[in-house]
Short mmCIF file of all heavy atoms in Angstrom, two decimals:
data_model
loop_
_atom_site.label_atom_id
_atom_site.label_comp_id
_atom_site.label_asym_id
_atom_site.label_seq_id
_atom_site.Cartn_x
_atom_site.Cartn_y
_atom_site.Cartn_z
N TYR A 1 -2.23 -10.38 -14.46
CA TYR A 1 -1.15 -9.42 -14.25
C TYR A 1 -0.88 -9.16 -12.77
O TYR A 1 0.07 -8.46 -12.43
CB TYR A 1 -1.50 -8.09 -14.93
CG TYR A 1 -1.56 -8.18 -16.44
CD1 TYR A 1 -2.78 -8.33 -17.08
CD2 TYR A 1 -0.41 -8.13 -17.21
CE1 TYR A 1 -2.85 -8.42 -18.47
CE2 TYR A 1 -0.46 -8.22 -18.59
CZ TYR A 1 -1.69 -8.36 -19.21
OH TYR A 1 -1.75 -8.46 -20.58
N LEU A 2 -1.69 -9.70 -11.90
CA LEU A 2 -1.51 -9.44 -10.48
C LEU A 2 -0.36 -10.28 -9.92
O LEU A 2 -0.17 -11.43 -10.32
CB LEU A 2 -2.80 -9.75 -9.72
CG LEU A 2 -3.99 -8.86 -10.05
CD1 LEU A 2 -5.23 -9.33 -9.29
CD2 LEU A 2 -3.70 -7.40 -9.73
N PRO A 3 0.41 -9.72 -9.00
CA PRO A 3 1.52 -10.48 -8.42
C PRO A 3 1.00 -11.62 -7.56
O PRO A 3 -0.14 -11.60 -7.08
CB PRO A 3 2.25 -9.44 -7.57
CG PRO A 3 1.21 -8.42 -7.25
CD PRO A 3 0.31 -8.37 -8.45
N LEU A 4 1.85 -12.64 -7.37
CA LEU A 4 1.48 -13.78 -6.54
C LEU A 4 1.96 -13.58 -5.10
O LEU A 4 3.04 -13.05 -4.86
CB LEU A 4 2.10 -15.06 -7.11
CG LEU A 4 1.62 -15.48 -8.50
CD1 LEU A 4 2.38 -16.71 -8.96
CD2 LEU A 4 0.12 -15.74 -8.50
N TRP A 5 1.15 -13.99 -4.16
CA TRP A 5 1.51 -13.95 -2.74
C TRP A 5 1.93 -15.36 -2.32
O TRP A 5 1.10 -16.25 -2.18
CB TRP A 5 0.32 -13.48 -1.90
CG TRP A 5 0.23 -11.98 -1.79
CD1 TRP A 5 0.57 -11.23 -0.70
CD2 TRP A 5 -0.23 -11.07 -2.78
NE1 TRP A 5 0.36 -9.90 -0.97
CE2 TRP A 5 -0.13 -9.77 -2.24
CE3 TRP A 5 -0.70 -11.20 -4.09
CZ2 TRP A 5 -0.49 -8.62 -2.95
CZ3 TRP A 5 -1.05 -10.06 -4.79
CH2 TRP A 5 -0.95 -8.80 -4.22
N GLN A 6 3.23 -15.56 -2.18
CA GLN A 6 3.75 -16.86 -1.79
C GLN A 6 3.58 -17.08 -0.28
O GLN A 6 3.59 -16.13 0.50
CB GLN A 6 5.24 -16.97 -2.15
CG GLN A 6 5.54 -16.75 -3.63
CD GLN A 6 5.03 -17.87 -4.52
OE1 GLN A 6 4.70 -18.95 -4.04
NE2 GLN A 6 4.99 -17.62 -5.82
N ALA A 7 3.45 -18.33 0.12
CA ALA A 7 3.26 -18.65 1.54
C ALA A 7 4.43 -18.18 2.40
O ALA A 7 4.25 -17.82 3.56
CB ALA A 7 3.04 -20.15 1.72
N LYS A 8 5.62 -18.17 1.85
CA LYS A 8 6.82 -17.80 2.61
C LYS A 8 7.12 -16.30 2.53
O LYS A 8 8.19 -15.85 2.91
CB LYS A 8 8.02 -18.57 2.10
CG LYS A 8 8.36 -18.29 0.64
CD LYS A 8 9.58 -19.10 0.20
CE LYS A 8 9.92 -18.80 -1.27
NZ LYS A 8 11.09 -19.57 -1.71
N SER A 9 6.16 -15.50 2.04
CA SER A 9 6.40 -14.07 1.83
C SER A 9 6.59 -13.32 3.15
O SER A 9 6.09 -13.73 4.20
CB SER A 9 5.22 -13.45 1.07
OG SER A 9 5.07 -14.04 -0.20
N HIS A 10 7.29 -12.20 3.06
CA HIS A 10 7.36 -11.24 4.17
C HIS A 10 7.07 -9.85 3.60
O HIS A 10 7.03 -9.66 2.37
CB HIS A 10 8.72 -11.28 4.86
CG HIS A 10 9.88 -11.01 3.95
ND1 HIS A 10 10.30 -9.73 3.62
CD2 HIS A 10 10.71 -11.85 3.28
CE1 HIS A 10 11.33 -9.79 2.82
NE2 HIS A 10 11.60 -11.07 2.59
N LYS A 11 6.87 -8.87 4.46
CA LYS A 11 6.41 -7.57 4.00
C LYS A 11 7.39 -6.89 3.04
O LYS A 11 6.97 -6.09 2.19
CB LYS A 11 6.11 -6.65 5.18
CG LYS A 11 7.28 -6.36 6.10
CD LYS A 11 6.81 -5.61 7.34
CE LYS A 11 7.95 -5.41 8.34
NZ LYS A 11 7.47 -4.79 9.60
N GLY A 12 8.67 -7.23 3.15
CA GLY A 12 9.63 -6.66 2.22
C GLY A 12 9.40 -7.08 0.79
O GLY A 12 9.83 -6.40 -0.14
N ASP A 13 8.71 -8.21 0.59
CA ASP A 13 8.42 -8.68 -0.76
C ASP A 13 7.38 -7.81 -1.46
O ASP A 13 7.20 -7.91 -2.68
CB ASP A 13 7.90 -10.12 -0.73
CG ASP A 13 8.96 -11.11 -0.27
OD1 ASP A 13 10.15 -10.87 -0.56
OD2 ASP A 13 8.59 -12.11 0.38
N PHE A 14 6.68 -7.00 -0.69
CA PHE A 14 5.56 -6.24 -1.26
C PHE A 14 5.78 -4.74 -1.23
O PHE A 14 4.85 -3.97 -1.42
CB PHE A 14 4.27 -6.64 -0.54
CG PHE A 14 4.02 -8.12 -0.61
CD1 PHE A 14 4.03 -8.89 0.53
CD2 PHE A 14 3.83 -8.75 -1.83
CE1 PHE A 14 3.83 -10.26 0.47
CE2 PHE A 14 3.62 -10.12 -1.90
CZ PHE A 14 3.63 -10.88 -0.76
N GLY A 15 7.02 -4.34 -1.03
CA GLY A 15 7.39 -2.96 -1.26
C GLY A 15 6.98 -1.98 -0.18
O GLY A 15 6.15 -2.25 0.68
N HIS A 16 7.64 -0.83 -0.24
CA HIS A 16 7.33 0.28 0.66
C HIS A 16 6.81 1.42 -0.22
O HIS A 16 7.54 1.99 -1.02
CB HIS A 16 8.58 0.71 1.42
CG HIS A 16 8.31 1.66 2.54
ND1 HIS A 16 9.17 1.83 3.60
CD2 HIS A 16 7.26 2.51 2.77
CE1 HIS A 16 8.67 2.73 4.44
NE2 HIS A 16 7.52 3.16 3.94
N THR A 17 5.53 1.71 -0.06
CA THR A 17 4.86 2.74 -0.85
C THR A 17 4.72 4.01 -0.03
O THR A 17 4.37 3.97 1.15
CB THR A 17 3.47 2.25 -1.30
OG1 THR A 17 3.64 1.13 -2.19
CG2 THR A 17 2.70 3.33 -2.01
N VAL A 18 4.99 5.15 -0.68
CA VAL A 18 4.87 6.45 -0.02
C VAL A 18 3.71 7.21 -0.65
O VAL A 18 3.56 7.27 -1.87
CB VAL A 18 6.18 7.26 -0.17
CG1 VAL A 18 6.01 8.66 0.43
CG2 VAL A 18 7.33 6.53 0.51
N ILE A 19 2.87 7.78 0.21
CA ILE A 19 1.74 8.59 -0.23
C ILE A 19 1.98 10.03 0.20
O ILE A 19 2.06 10.31 1.41
CB ILE A 19 0.41 8.09 0.37
CG1 ILE A 19 0.21 6.59 0.11
CG2 ILE A 19 -0.76 8.92 -0.15
CD1 ILE A 19 -0.01 6.22 -1.33
N VAL A 20 2.12 10.93 -0.75
CA VAL A 20 2.31 12.36 -0.46
C VAL A 20 0.97 13.03 -0.69
O VAL A 20 0.53 13.20 -1.83
CB VAL A 20 3.39 12.97 -1.37
CG1 VAL A 20 3.64 14.43 -1.00
CG2 VAL A 20 4.69 12.17 -1.27
N ALA A 21 0.32 13.39 0.41
CA ALA A 21 -1.07 13.82 0.28
C ALA A 21 -1.50 14.62 1.51
O ALA A 21 -0.84 14.62 2.54
CB ALA A 21 -1.99 12.61 0.11
N GLY A 22 -2.64 15.29 1.36
CA GLY A 22 -3.26 15.96 2.49
C GLY A 22 -2.86 17.41 2.65
O GLY A 22 -1.80 17.86 2.23
N SER A 23 -3.73 18.16 3.28
CA SER A 23 -3.52 19.54 3.67
C SER A 23 -4.58 19.87 4.72
O SER A 23 -5.44 19.03 5.02
CB SER A 23 -3.63 20.50 2.47
OG SER A 23 -4.91 20.42 1.88
N ARG A 24 -4.50 21.05 5.30
CA ARG A 24 -5.47 21.40 6.32
C ARG A 24 -6.89 21.31 5.74
O ARG A 24 -7.20 21.91 4.72
CB ARG A 24 -5.21 22.82 6.84
CG ARG A 24 -6.11 23.24 7.99
CD ARG A 24 -5.80 24.65 8.44
NE ARG A 24 -4.41 24.76 8.89
CZ ARG A 24 -3.65 25.83 8.68
NH1 ARG A 24 -4.12 26.85 7.98
NH2 ARG A 24 -2.41 25.86 9.15
N GLY A 25 -7.74 20.53 6.38
CA GLY A 25 -9.10 20.33 5.91
C GLY A 25 -9.27 19.19 4.94
O GLY A 25 -10.39 18.82 4.60
N LYS A 26 -8.17 18.59 4.49
CA LYS A 26 -8.23 17.50 3.53
C LYS A 26 -7.34 16.34 3.95
O LYS A 26 -6.73 15.66 3.12
CB LYS A 26 -7.84 17.99 2.13
CG LYS A 26 -8.81 19.03 1.58
CD LYS A 26 -8.38 19.50 0.21
CE LYS A 26 -9.35 20.55 -0.34
NZ LYS A 26 -8.92 21.06 -1.66
N SER A 27 -7.26 16.10 5.25
CA SER A 27 -6.45 15.00 5.75
C SER A 27 -7.03 13.65 5.36
O SER A 27 -6.30 12.66 5.21
CB SER A 27 -6.31 15.09 7.28
OG SER A 27 -7.60 15.11 7.90
N GLY A 28 -8.34 13.58 5.19
CA GLY A 28 -8.98 12.32 4.84
C GLY A 28 -8.52 11.76 3.51
O GLY A 28 -8.44 10.55 3.33
N ALA A 29 -8.18 12.64 2.56
CA ALA A 29 -7.71 12.17 1.26
C ALA A 29 -6.43 11.36 1.41
O ALA A 29 -6.24 10.34 0.74
CB ALA A 29 -7.47 13.37 0.34
N ALA A 30 -5.55 11.81 2.29
CA ALA A 30 -4.30 11.08 2.52
C ALA A 30 -4.56 9.71 3.10
O ALA A 30 -3.95 8.71 2.69
CB ALA A 30 -3.39 11.90 3.45
N VAL A 31 -5.46 9.64 4.06
CA VAL A 31 -5.74 8.37 4.74
C VAL A 31 -6.48 7.40 3.81
O VAL A 31 -6.20 6.20 3.81
CB VAL A 31 -6.54 8.61 6.02
CG1 VAL A 31 -6.89 7.30 6.70
CG2 VAL A 31 -5.75 9.50 6.97
N LEU A 32 -7.40 7.91 3.01
CA LEU A 32 -8.09 7.04 2.06
C LEU A 32 -7.11 6.40 1.08
O LEU A 32 -7.16 5.20 0.80
CB LEU A 32 -9.15 7.84 1.29
CG LEU A 32 -10.45 8.13 2.03
CD1 LEU A 32 -11.26 9.16 1.25
CD2 LEU A 32 -11.27 6.86 2.22
N SER A 33 -6.20 7.22 0.56
CA SER A 33 -5.24 6.71 -0.41
C SER A 33 -4.27 5.72 0.23
O SER A 33 -4.02 4.63 -0.31
CB SER A 33 -4.47 7.89 -1.02
OG SER A 33 -3.65 7.47 -2.08
N ALA A 34 -3.74 6.07 1.40
CA ALA A 34 -2.78 5.18 2.07
C ALA A 34 -3.46 3.91 2.56
O ALA A 34 -2.87 2.82 2.49
CB ALA A 34 -2.14 5.92 3.23
N GLY A 35 -4.67 4.02 3.07
CA GLY A 35 -5.40 2.83 3.51
C GLY A 35 -5.67 1.88 2.36
O GLY A 35 -5.59 0.65 2.52
N ALA A 36 -5.96 2.43 1.19
CA ALA A 36 -6.18 1.59 0.01
C ALA A 36 -4.89 0.88 -0.39
O ALA A 36 -4.91 -0.28 -0.82
CB ALA A 36 -6.68 2.45 -1.15
N ALA A 37 -3.75 1.57 -0.25
CA ALA A 37 -2.47 0.94 -0.58
C ALA A 37 -2.21 -0.27 0.32
O ALA A 37 -1.76 -1.33 -0.14
CB ALA A 37 -1.34 1.96 -0.45
N LEU A 38 -2.51 -0.13 1.60
CA LEU A 38 -2.37 -1.27 2.52
C LEU A 38 -3.31 -2.40 2.12
O LEU A 38 -2.92 -3.57 2.07
CB LEU A 38 -2.67 -0.84 3.95
CG LEU A 38 -1.56 -0.17 4.74
CD1 LEU A 38 -2.08 0.25 6.11
CD2 LEU A 38 -0.36 -1.10 4.92
N ARG A 39 -4.55 -2.05 1.85
CA ARG A 39 -5.55 -3.06 1.50
C ARG A 39 -5.20 -3.78 0.20
O ARG A 39 -5.51 -4.96 0.02
CB ARG A 39 -6.92 -2.40 1.39
CG ARG A 39 -8.09 -3.35 1.27
CD ARG A 39 -8.30 -4.16 2.54
NE ARG A 39 -9.41 -5.07 2.41
CZ ARG A 39 -10.68 -4.78 2.77
NH1 ARG A 39 -10.95 -3.57 3.27
NH2 ARG A 39 -11.64 -5.64 2.63
#
């Protein structure tokens, strides 16, 4: 079920994901989630 990464791909092929997260004292949650999306 995983998408294929073609050799000719560019970043637009893999979407723009938005992470709405974090608050004072919990900024790490936002970065963990967003970093995982990149990875």
Side-chain angles (χ1 to χ4, degrees):
Y1 294 98
L2 295 176
L4 296 177
W5 273 256
Q6 303 290 345
K8 62 180 181 180
S9 299
H10 58 83
K11 60 188 175 185
D13 293 328
F14 304 115
H16 191 158
T17 295
V18 176
I19 307 293
V20 184
S23 60
R24 185 180 300 143
K26 296 180 180 178
S27 56
V31 177
L32 282 168
S33 188
L38 277 177
R39 190 67 180 268

